[in-house]
Amino acid sequence: MSELTLEERGDLIVNACLEQTSASPYQVFKSVARQDFVRMHGPEHHVLDGAALLTAYRNAGGNVDLSAALAELMARGLQMPGAMCGRWGVCGATASVGAALSILEGTGPLSGDDSWGSHMQYTSRALEGLSRIGGPRCCKRDAYVSLQTAVDYVRDRFGVRLQTDDIRCGFYPQNAQCLGEKCPFFPAAGSDAQ
């Protein structure tokens, strides 16, 4: 595939999410991430990761105008620079899912309800999970941790039960920096990667 702009990748991600029917954010993520317009690492994950959550939320019965929510998420995700994890100390995957949560609740910088702090609690839990694993970067691993943390959050906060999966990474052969067995999603010997 010829080199696409980040905006073109974002549009393709949004369109692919609109076609997904799974209530599992992992399955939505993996289905879209396998497409040739999603690189192993890259700022397109700042759109994809939150989009996977929004899509699974809608598919699980959550009340959201998915087209509008994905358009807003794309606008926010495209503002996040690449390499945030190493340069800013915050992962774009977690920030993307945090943006999705703020879209679901209509939270903004002046919100006085508990959603503002609640989303901060989510991101702090997800970032804590990432910090325990350590680097170097892996956009797929960071997406899995961010989504895994969000599944419980969405159930507790919104009463929407997203499908869960036993996550086994199938992307590791394309990742020159893969942590291998140090990664909680690396397939165990003899298991099938998803």
Side-chain angles (χ1 to χ4, degrees), residues 5-188:
T5 67
L6 187 53
E7 291 79 9
E8 289 169 332
R9 291 177 194 279
D11 283 333
L12 290 166
I13 288 166
V14 165
N15 290 334
C17 283
L18 289 169
E19 297 175 1
Q20 300 297 311
T21 59
S22 178
S24 163
Y26 319 117
Q27 292 303 321
V28 172
F29 172 83
K30 288 189 284 187
S31 177
V32 178
R34 287 186 177 119
Q35 303 301 314
D36 60 357
F37 51 84
V38 178
R39 296 170 289 192
M40 180 64 208
H41 307 292
E44 60 262 40
H45 288 83
H46 304 168
V47 175
L48 172 57
D49 301 356
L53 179 71
L54 289 170
T55 302
Y57 178 85
R58 190 274 318 262
N59 293 342
N63 182 20
V64 63
D65 177 343
L66 186 59
S67 293
L70 291 174
E72 177 61 24
L73 181 72
M74 186 172 116
R76 295 180 190 193
L78 292 176
Q79 294 178 27
M80 298 180 210
M84 288 174 57
C85 56
R87 294 184 179 152
W88 289 21
V90 63
C91 177
T94 301
S96 176
V97 174
L101 296 173
S102 73
I103 290 166
L104 287 174
E105 293 198 83
T107 306
L110 301 178
S111 294
D113 62 9
D114 72 334
S115 66
W116 191 92
S118 181
H119 302 153
M120 296 289 184
Q121 289 175 348
Y122 157 76
T123 56
S124 67
R125 282 194 302 265
L127 291 172
E128 172 65 23
L130 293 174
S131 73
R132 286 193 304 269
I133 298 168
R137 61 118 190 242
C138 176
C139 290
K140 304 310 192 252
R141 175 191 67 221
D142 295 353
Y144 293 145
V145 170
S146 297
L147 292 170
Q148 198 172 46
T149 306
V151 166
D152 292 336
Y153 179 91
V154 166
R155 182 196 61 233
D156 296 344
R157 181 84 178 167
F158 303 111
V160 174
R161 295 192 178 277
L162 303 175
Q163 291 177 359
T164 59
D165 300 293
D166 181 28
I167 306 168
R168 294 290 169 243
C169 182
F171 296 99
Y172 68 91
Q174 292 85 43
N175 185 1
Q177 295 87 35
C178 180
L179 295 176
E181 294 179 3
K182 292 179 183 177
C183 175
F185 309 109
F186 190 77

